[in-house]
Amino acid sequence: MTEAVAKPQLRWSSVRDCPRKAALEGGPPDREWTDREQRILYRGRSLGRDYMDWLEAKYGVTAVEREVKVEWALGTGHIDGFLWKTQTALEILSSAHATDAMIHSKLVQLAGYMEHYEPALNGCLIVLDPGDFSEERYPVAKDTEAYALLVKEVHERIAALESWRAGGNLPARVCAKPSEAPGHFCRFADTCFEGWEAPPLPEVDRPEVLALAAAFALEKGNERAATAALDEVKGRRKEVEAQLAVELEGHPREVLSGSFKIRRTDVQRKPTLDLRKAELAGVLNVELLGEFMKPGAAYTTWTVERHEGSAGGIDYGEEPF
Ligand code: SF4
């Protein structure tokens, strides 16, 4: 009788980031977590729990099932939350400034769960801002081209791991160099890059290029200094605008003051359509687009200039009002 081969317990949450890391996690890590990493990981988990608490408080205790176990070919994963009413898998990303790469990686994770958990008819990535607990939702519908592409990635990652398990090479690195590992919360950089040497950079031996590089460095420094000075001036101008808003509250939009005409313009930007979210959600009906419209920004601009017929008054020298 042949013995059943035990299923490896690779972490799907690692696979979505770096399949090679998921493979290496079968062995001991090269280092311990740093204190900062522990805190970030803890904060991420606690925010996920907080979000589920929030859903339960808002929609009732039976609204969401937490940590739903999902079996896949080489391991077991856990969906952060599952809404049985709409059969929606929830994945939480806690980040105030989530990059496109982070969002994509979490969408791959979510698609992996949706593929391996039959009740999951829909999915939604929740990007939570740890600062104010605000959220941005990325609904994922199964019958879309965007979902098909995510699923393709899911299967490519699994195939790379199965090939390694069958005696092939470890899956390809996602890091170009060891120093990128902490950005992936990876403690296997030494093992992963064992025997690796940074490829030497090609040298360009032309004085024109050297002179341009030096000029660029100089101008970049000048640009930084000018930007810092400009930021300071802008900050002062905004302070003055804020004071004007207080002083002129209740007044018409355009008034005269001594030799100045002061005009307030309230700007309402046009709403924009978040195409990626609409695409993920499989929105085909124009009537449904409203849910994916971002409200336009509203703000006020101020103009202060000398008006015709001004008798002058205070001498401001050559300032270009
Ligand atoms: S160091 Fe980078 S490429 Fe290597 S296993 Fe870790 S995350 Fe993957």
Side-chain angles (χ1 to χ4, degrees):
M1 202 173 112
T2 50
E3 266 183 50
V5 180
K7 185 165 111 173
Q9 285 301 318
L10 305 191
R11 297 170 65 228
W12 184 248
S13 56
S14 292
V15 178
R16 60 95 183 160
D17 182 27
C18 174
R20 190 178 178 98
K21 176 174 73 170
L24 293 175
E25 280 171 344
D30 299 326
R31 62 173 177 85
E32 297 301 316
W33 292 118
T34 64
D35 182 65
R36 182 167 183 274
E37 286 170 333
Q38 285 177 345
R39 286 168 191 273
I40 292 172
L41 289 169
Y42 179 84
R43 186 68 183 125
R45 286 193 297 269
S46 72
L47 265 169
R49 287 192 296 269
D50 286 351
Y51 187 74
M52 298 307 154
D53 289 347
W54 167 262
L55 285 184
E56 284 180 356
K58 214 166 160 57
Y59 301 108
V61 284
T62 57
V64 60
E65 184 180 341
R66 303 172 187 224
E67 295 293 321
V68 177
K69 204 168 157 185
V70 178
E71 298 287 346
W72 61 286
L74 301 173
T76 307
H78 292 87
I79 303 174
D80 287 334
F82 193 75
L83 297 170
W84 278 102
K85 196 171 175 189
T86 55
Q87 294 187 249
T88 302
L90 301 179
E91 183 59 33
I92 313 290
L93 167 61
S94 59
S95 174
H97 309 287
T99 62
D100 281 353
M102 284 163 75
I103 290 170
H104 179 78
S105 175
K106 290 298 259 183
L107 286 169
V108 170
Q109 184 174 358
L110 178 59
Y113 292 142
M114 290 168 71
E115 276 302 283
H116 292 95
Y117 188 61
E118 216 171 298
L121 303 182
N122 306 289
C124 191
L125 172 65
I126 314 284
V127 180
L128 265 187
D129 185 330
D132 61 4
F133 208 57
S134 60
E135 65 179 276
E136 187 162 9
R137 295 180 184 177
Y138 291 79
V140 177
K142 276 189 161 175
D143 57 345
T144 62
E145 182 64 18
Y147 181 75
L149 288 172
L150 290 172
V151 170
K152 186 165 169 274
E153 265 194 65
V154 166
H155 291 305
E156 282 169 358
R157 283 160 194 252
I158 294 174
L161 284 164
E162 282 178 332
S163 160
W164 159 69
R165 292 263 306 158
N169 292 330
L170 278 167
R173 296 185 186 101
V174 298
C175 301
K177 49 186 185 296
S179 59
E180 291 178 14
H184 292 271
F185 279 86
C186 176
R187 299 182 292 163
F188 296 88
D190 293 348
T191 307
C192 174
F193 281 88
E194 197 178 352
W196 177 88
E197 278 182 30
L201 293 174
E203 195 147 331
V204 179
D205 189 16
R206 280 168 46 206
E208 298 87 346
V209 175
L210 177 61
L212 286 170
F216 179 89
L218 178 71
E219 297 306 343
K220 193 72 194 167
N222 290 339
E223 186 185 329
R224 273 196 210 101
T227 304
L230 182 62
D231 284 349
E232 207 179 313
V233 174
K234 272 187 185 167
R236 289 203 299 270
R237 189 254 298 161
K238 284 185 175 168
E239 275 173 29
V240 173
E241 283 182 356
Q243 288 168 22
L244 270 176
V246 172
E247 295 297 334
L248 294 180
E249 194 181 352
H251 287 72
R253 291 176 186 283
E254 213 165 291
V255 294
L256 299 180
S257 174
S259 61
F260 295 107
K261 180 163 75 181
I262 304 173
R263 184 169 60 243
R264 197 187 80 220
T265 312
D266 296 328
V267 180
Q268 173 68 55
R269 282 206 188 278
K270 283 182 186 167
T272 59
L273 174 64
D274 191 327
L275 281 175
R276 178 166 63 166
K277 290 174 81 174
E279 190 188 5
L280 279 167
V283 177
L284 301 171
N285 187 332
V286 174
E287 285 174 18
L288 294 177
L289 286 178
E291 191 186 337
F292 304 97
M293 299 294 277
K294 285 184 171 178
Y299 59 92
T300 301
T301 63
W302 294 82
T303 309
V304 180
E305 58 193 13
R306 289 192 191 282
H307 65 89
E308 281 176 16
S310 153
I314 308 166
D315 181 10
Y316 291 94
E318 296 304 311
E319 288 299 311
F321 283 106

